Amino acid sequence: MDVILLGTAAGGGFPQWNCACRPCRTARRDPASALPRTQSSVAVSADGARWFLINASPDVRSQLALIPGAGPRPSRELPVEGVVLTDAELDHTLGLLLLREGRRLPVLASPAIGSLLEREGGVLRVARAFADAPFTPLEPGRAACLPDRDGAPSGLTVTAFAVAGDPPRFAPDAPADGATTGLVISDGRSSFACVPGCGALDGATLERLAAAGLVLFDGTCWTDDELISLGYGARTARAMGHVPMAGPAGSLAALAQLPGRVVYVHINNTNPVLIEDSPERRAVTDAGLTVGADGMRFSL
Ligand SMILES: [Zn+2]
């Protein structure tokens, strides 16, 4: 199984177009000391030929170029087999609209995410005006085969599982349950977990992550009050559905105990771990974890 990190930044990308925080300034001044990153997305394949996107970011156009063999086809069809979503947030779903020329655009996600995209967000509804976009619900906790474009087994199974989180800001009254999920994807021999948004690391979630050879995990903020202290918002990271990395109850301490490789993704542009020589980056690497960067590739 091959896994490619197509984009490792949170919404807004890195540097964010309107942001002058320290990491964003560093990335503009000296990109080698704070690598620019596109918005959160992953590609996975069992055979190196048929790929699935995990989340469709607003940067999907440039991200497809990172997938081997996913170039233009004579029939203009989508160069991937389908899109699996972890939530309905805009940084994970706006790419569906950009893929509308792909004729057929299979989307898989939990029923709660499907409902958000059909109704409140409207992304699927709009995409369907242009493409055949069938939606397959993934019942949380139940493994499902990922079919390729022809309906044949791709060699991958996916299990969505609900994690702590909040519904998207465009649907504040939608039920939170099942609106944020993690995915475990397996080829029968090995598995990896993709959890780009997670508001709390409880025992059940850690147990799932401990069984995966590779864990891609929410690296949005370093501290819980990061956006508040910078004057960029009134909500804590946890209140926005993202457990921070630092501190005794942070993700770094918990994830360092896992047996598999752990890579942070969905990193917000304010997070100092984005600066290559920062003490926060050193704390992550000293704990044995990796700060994800676009184009990183893992073979499991
Ligand atoms: Zn910034």
Side-chain angles (χ1 to χ4, degrees):
M1 180 164 54
D2 289 306
V3 177
I4 304 174
L5 306 191
L6 301 178
T8 50
F14 180 61
Q16 181 169 313
W17 62 278
N18 61 343
C19 189
C21 74
R22 191 166 59 95
C24 282
R25 288 199 315 271
T26 307
R28 285 193 195 95
R29 189 182 61 238
D30 178 16
S33 61
L35 299 176
R37 288 161 166 85
T38 62
Q39 292 165 86
S40 176
S41 183
V42 174
V44 59
S45 174
D47 56 14
R50 294 172 296 173
W51 293 87
F52 292 84
L53 289 182
I54 300 178
N55 295 321
S57 94
D59 299 311
V60 68
R61 184 185 161 98
S62 62
Q63 290 173 338
L64 285 173
L66 295 174
I67 304 177
R73 302 182 179 203
S75 57
R76 284 185 161 183
E77 69 207 34
L78 193 70
V80 295
E81 310 301 314
V83 183
V84 190
L85 301 172
T86 60
D87 56 50
E89 299 289 347
L90 294 179
D91 59 337
H92 284 155
T93 59
L94 279 180
L96 293 175
L97 297 179
L98 305 179
L99 297 173
R100 67 189 181 281
E101 293 98 346
R103 304 175 64 162
R104 190 157 190 279
L105 179 56
V107 178
L108 305 92
S110 75
I113 295 169
S115 155
L116 282 163
L117 293 178
E118 304 266 11
R119 299 192 202 127
E120 286 86 349
V123 167
L124 258 183
R125 195 160 29 82
V126 175
R128 285 210 183 106
F130 301 87
D132 171 24
F135 179 78
T136 303
L138 299 175
E139 291 301 332
R142 193 178 304 163
C145 287
L146 270 179
D148 69 10
R149 68 182 66 240
D150 301 319
S154 66
L156 297 173
T157 61
V158 59
T159 308
F161 57 98
V163 296
D166 60 340
R169 244 196 256 194
F170 58 76
D173 300 326
D177 194 34
T180 310
T181 63
L183 304 173
V184 171
I185 294 190
S186 168
D187 66 355
R189 294 182 302 275
S190 51
S191 69
F192 85 101
C194 184
V195 194
C198 183
L201 263 172
D202 55 29
T205 303
L206 280 169
E207 207 169 296
R208 280 188 189 278
L209 302 186
L214 170 69
V215 174
L216 309 179
F217 193 81
D218 183 346
T220 307
C221 288
W222 176 251
T223 56
D224 200 28
D225 67 349
E226 189 164 304
L227 296 183
I228 299 170
S229 65
L230 290 166
Y232 296 159
R235 296 198 300 165
T236 63
R238 282 192 175 86
M240 292 186 291
H242 301 290
V243 60
M245 294 182 181
S251 64
L252 186 55
L255 297 174
Q257 308 301 318
L258 297 180
R261 181 162 190 185
V262 181
V263 180
Y264 279 118
V265 296
H266 196 276
I267 307 160
N268 198 54
N269 60 81
T270 51
N271 191 327
V273 300
L274 289 168
I275 300 175
E276 300 282 326
D277 64 356
S278 66
E280 293 85 359
R281 167 67 70 87
R282 205 167 316 122
V284 172
T285 50
D286 285 353
L289 279 70
T290 301
V291 173
D294 296 10
M296 278 184 180
R297 189 173 172 149
F298 305 92
S299 292
L300 300 172

